[in-house]
Amino acid sequence: MDRIHVFLASDENYAQHSGVVLASLLANHDKGGLPLAIHYLDGGLSAANRDKISNIVENCANAELIFHEMSGEFRELKTDRYITHATYYRLKIDSLAGNDVCKAIYLDTDVLVFGDIEEIWNIDIAGYAIGAVEDAGLRDILPKLKK
């Protein structure tokens, strides 16, 4: 059965925010629609926060939560106050998703989902490597990372 694969990444600092993203995603997804495979790129969540995140998803019949341990990844890359190691985790989506997944949606942990994610999932991006929205806030941060 086809599933909508949604990825988010967080460390302990954004655990609460990611819970809000998940709650808004689940509240707005049509329960009769495609099931959700929610991939959580875990950059070192506490057991308590991991449990809280799991509890949000377990009450949704058509959603599965899959944790991917990421805390040892990308430690050699430069970070700052806004670009953490968790920012880089999205670069692993292709290898984490598996060969049977040909499309994935990545959600930052500072967004709210106001509609059914299946509407975005159904956008035809055949012939494109990626469909994306620019994060305007990165315009100020990226030059600092190149130093």
Side-chain angles (χ1 to χ4, degrees), residues 35-62:
L36 299 172
I38 301 168
H39 300 264
Y40 198 103
L41 310 181
D42 177 357
L45 295 174
S46 67
N49 277 330
R50 197 172 173 140
D51 287 344
K52 288 175 185 176
I53 289 164
S54 295
N55 289 337
I56 293 168
V57 179
E58 75 182 18
N59 295 323
C60 186
N62 68 339

Side-chain angles (χ1 to χ4, degrees), residues 86-98:
T87 306
Y88 297 107
Y89 297 164
R90 67 193 79 183
L91 300 174
K92 291 277 198 169
I93 289 174
D94 184 50
S95 62
L96 294 171

